[in-house]
Amino acid sequence: TMIHELTHIWQFENWKTSEITRLYPESDHRDIVYEGMAVWTSIQYMYMIGENSYAQKQEILMDNRKDLYGDGFRMYSEKYPINRDSSINEFTPFAQFPPL
């Protein structure tokens, strides 16, 4: 939860709201962009710190959710594959704009 919420702080500090709104004019699309990245980051972080079992459970849960969290996670994990071996993932949404 902490990593998820810290990702939102990072987004609001680094992305211009006006630019996000221009790129994703529908609020549900913006929510997918914001929440999908936060979920992706929290799962990626769990793998990086060796919490593989819980990360796998969360990944399966998100893969099966039919809401903005699950949809967003699937979109991010397609573009930014989850690294499951505890190594640093160099291709992340933090270095890309727009992220999706």
Side-chain angles (χ1 to χ4, degrees), residues 66-79:
K66 305 293 187 226
D67 61 5
L68 62 99
Y69 295 91
D71 294 344
F73 173 72
R74 285 187 296 280
M75 293 171 77
Y76 274 93
S77 61
E78 284 179 24
K79 186 169 182 178

Side-chain angles (χ1 to χ4, degrees), residues 40-41 43-45 47-48 59 73-85 87-93 96 99-100:
W40 180 93
T41 302
I43 291 172
Q44 182 62 77
Y45 179 77
Y47 279 116
M48 289 178 65
E59 193 172 359
F73 173 72
R74 285 187 296 280
M75 293 171 77
Y76 274 93
S77 61
E78 284 179 24
K79 186 169 182 178
Y80 309 97
I82 293 286
N83 189 343
R84 295 173 183 84
D85 67 2
S87 64
I88 302 294
N89 192 343
E90 294 188 27
F91 183 60
T92 73
Q96 307 295 317
L100 289 176

Side-chain angles (χ1 to χ4, degrees), residues 26-40:
E26 295 183 35
S27 64
D28 57 333
H29 292 166
R30 283 192 304 277
D31 289 344
I32 286 172
V33 170
Y34 284 116
E35 296 301 342
M37 183 177 172
V39 171
W40 180 93

